[in-house]
């Protein structure tokens, strides 16, 4: 079986980026201290997609949980990564192809979204041939935010 994986790295001055929901539950917090923020991010991504003539994405619970698990992992490690991407997708029942954008340091959903839109690689993921989205954030002990935005077909 051949697996496809999208991994893209970049950096912006407002924070660091690396890239590549709960359904209807904006800002769902779980035990690890992170938060699923698909509900507040999805309208922004879909506006961008509609402006580009792309179909809207749907929130996906599995992607939200996967994004949350990885955001919490990055916050614990204190660094961005795509560690275990394919393994995480399988663990959460997400079928490939899939893509992942990660960022560090943005203070809120708006600044995270803006950082991804000005990065060509991250923007390409947001405009890619995907149908589902999950987004999460976790903060480390220094309150530094680690963001994960995941897409699947």
């Amino acid at each position: 079986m051949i697996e496809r994986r999208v991994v893209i790295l970049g950096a912006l001055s407002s924070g660091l980026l690396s890239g590549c929901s709960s359904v209807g539950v904006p800002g769902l917090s779980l035990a690890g201290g992170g938060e699923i923020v698909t509900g507040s991010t999805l309208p922004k991504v879909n506006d961008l997609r509609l402006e580009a003539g792309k179909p809207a994405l749907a929130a996906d619970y599995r992607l939200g949980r996967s994004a949350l698990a990885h955001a919490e992992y990055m916050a614990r490690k204190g660094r961005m990564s795509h560690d275990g991407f394919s393994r995480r997708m399988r663990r959460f029942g997400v079928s490939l192809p899939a893509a992942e954008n990660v960022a560090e340091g943005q203070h809120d959903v708006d600044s995270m979204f803006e950082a991804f839109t000005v990065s060509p690689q991250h923007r390409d993921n947001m405009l890619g041939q995907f149908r589902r989205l999950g987004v999460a954030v976790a903060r480390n002990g220094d309150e530094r935010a680690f963001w994960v935005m995941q897409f699947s077909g």
Side-chain angles (χ1 to χ4, degrees), residues 14-118:
S14 64
L16 298 175
L17 294 175
S18 178
C20 25
S21 103
S22 62
V23 177
V25 184
L28 174 66
S29 294
L30 298 177
E35 182 178 12
I36 295 173
V37 293
T38 307
S40 56
T41 308
L42 185 62
K44 298 173 186 311
V45 173
N46 281 340
D47 285 348
L48 178 71
R49 289 178 64 85
L50 293 173
E51 288 173 12
K54 304 285 185 174
L57 300 177
D60 186 277
Y61 179 75
R62 292 170 299 178
L63 284 171
R65 294 290 306 252
S66 174
L68 179 62
H70 194 55
E72 290 175 346
Y73 169 83
M74 292 190 309
R76 280 192 310 275
K77 294 291 185 181
R79 64 177 175 81
M80 293 184 303
S81 78
H82 292 285
D83 294 351
F85 178 79
S86 294
R87 184 179 67 247
R88 277 185 285 113
M89 295 297 100
R90 284 191 304 274
R91 179 175 149 212
F92 287 94
V94 176
S95 51
L96 300 175
E100 174 177 78
N101 290 346
V102 301
E104 176 186 353
Q106 293 76 17
H107 298 288
D108 56 28
V109 167
D110 290 334
S111 60
M112 173 270 299
F113 178 76
E114 178 63 25
F116 284 150
T117 61
V118 299

